[in-house]
Amino acid sequence: MKIGVVGGGPGGMMAAIWAARSGNHEIHLFEKNEKLGKKLFITGKGRCNLCNDCEDSYFFEQVVNNSSFLYSSYYTFPPYQTMEFFESLGLHLKVERGNRVFPKSDHSSDVIKALQKELEKQGVQIHLKEEVKSLEKKKNFVLGTNRNQYELDKVILATGGITYSSTGSTGDGYVWAKHFGHKLIETRAGLVGIKTNQEKKENLMGLTLKNVELYGKTKRKTYRFFGDLLLTHYGISGPIALSMSSYINREKNPEIWVDLKPALTKEQLDQRMQREIQKQSNRSLQKIMETLLPKSLVGNFLSQWNLDHEKKANQITKEERSQIIEGLKKYPLPYKGLFQQDTGIITSGGVSVKEIDPSTMESKKVEGLYFVGEMMDVDALTGGFNLQIAFSTGHLAGVSVGSEERK
Ligand SMILES: Cc1cc2nc3c(=O)[nH]c(=O)nc-3n(C[C@H](O)[C@H](O)[C@H](O)COP(=O)(O)OP(=O)(O)OC[C@H]3O[C@@H](n4cnc5c(N)ncnc54)[C@H](O)[C@@H]3O)c2cc1C
């Protein structure tokens, strides 16, 4: 059988390897860049967090959209098999905080090298700098590139999403999916910074608020994430803001706020403030607040509620104290949208999973057409889960396409 795989990212490479391992087929892998895995190269800040050695239930909790669609592909190729697979290719791995798995060398390039070597070993024909321009189905598939035309029995699409487009992920596969009658779910950046009216408060830029709780209230649900929040020139970023973005990226006007003291109740905060006031009765409100918040935030915090920074501690009224406590527990970050789409770590939306068979990754509309990875409407939080999706779906498509006899 002649099989074409479009896209030399993690999903496409995995699919090509397993299609080749599954039988005596002629496999062509098309990648428009001059090398394989350009996006893979920048993952995990160049270290490639390639999967997460977690419990199965935890994996599914980290998937933001359509987790149940992934049951078959995940259970056929779960994280421990991803790890075994890479170790068998000679890539040694290590597990870090939060069960995140990295290559021992800390170089994503080693992950790419391992995959490329296996592709070559399996006899996959790698077509670099060969951009797929058209895809039709007559009796067989006719795939046109900038160089040639190919007649193929089966085609796996693994062209990725739309963010970090300089890596080659420019949404090309959506066009063919639509052409073949597939429904597309509108794409949005996920794991992306959030713009808030903190913008231009230059003294706050670069400040990390540690161990805070970020809230996002939509019409349907209130989401919350605990951890570190980074204040930027446009609003908020850092792990918990990125996670939040993936849940609110379809909302018009979510209400966002942060609990600056999640470990303390309002009553405990009030007692603590009263203690500070008693200890330092002649000091300013500014100084009292510096015992509770990072110094650079205190000015903005007090101005937000028109509180007098210089007011002596022993003159602070009960109302002012209660205003401060409310503010500490619910510091508003009015939402202004998501930061630039291209900076999203992931694309949410894409080819609707309703029209893809989850047990094979084959299109329910076009026989012999398969989908893999980020181009489908599946996305997860950070921690190695998105690459696991690419590997699991790539493996399943490869095994399915390769083991089926031509009809
Ligand atoms: C900065 C950053 C850091 C990340 N870090 C992590 C991490 O540590 N862990 C994790 O799990 N996930 C991480 N991700 C997410 C992860 O990289 C993606 O989910 C994953 O790469 C998706 O794999 P894919 O194969 O589906 O698509 P892609 O990796 O996007 O690959 C698609 C490939 O298809 C090629 N292509 C597209 N159109 C054509 C065409 N017409 N013809 C030929 N080739 C074409 C592209 O050039 C590209 O190489 C990160 C993402 C970013 C942006």
Side-chain angles (χ1 to χ4, degrees), residues 375-404:
M375 71 175 300
M376 297 184 288
D377 180 23
V378 282
D379 62 294
L381 299 181
T382 56
F385 309 104
N386 285 302
L387 283 174
Q388 181 65 53
I389 292 175
F391 293 139
S392 290
T393 57
H395 166 265
L396 186 56
V399 169
S400 311
V401 80
S403 55
E404 275 177 39

Side-chain angles (χ1 to χ4, degrees), residues 158-198:
T159 52
I162 45 155
T163 65
Y164 278 78
S165 51
S166 62
T167 62
S169 319
T170 47
D172 302 12
Y174 300 144
V175 180
W176 307 312
K178 195 164 174 209
H179 166 76
F180 284 122
H182 275 269
K183 186 175 173 208
L184 298 182
I185 306 299
E186 196 188 340
T187 49
R188 289 266 200 290
L191 300 177
V192 66
I194 297 174
K195 291 196 277 181
T196 70
N197 78 345
Q198 287 302 111

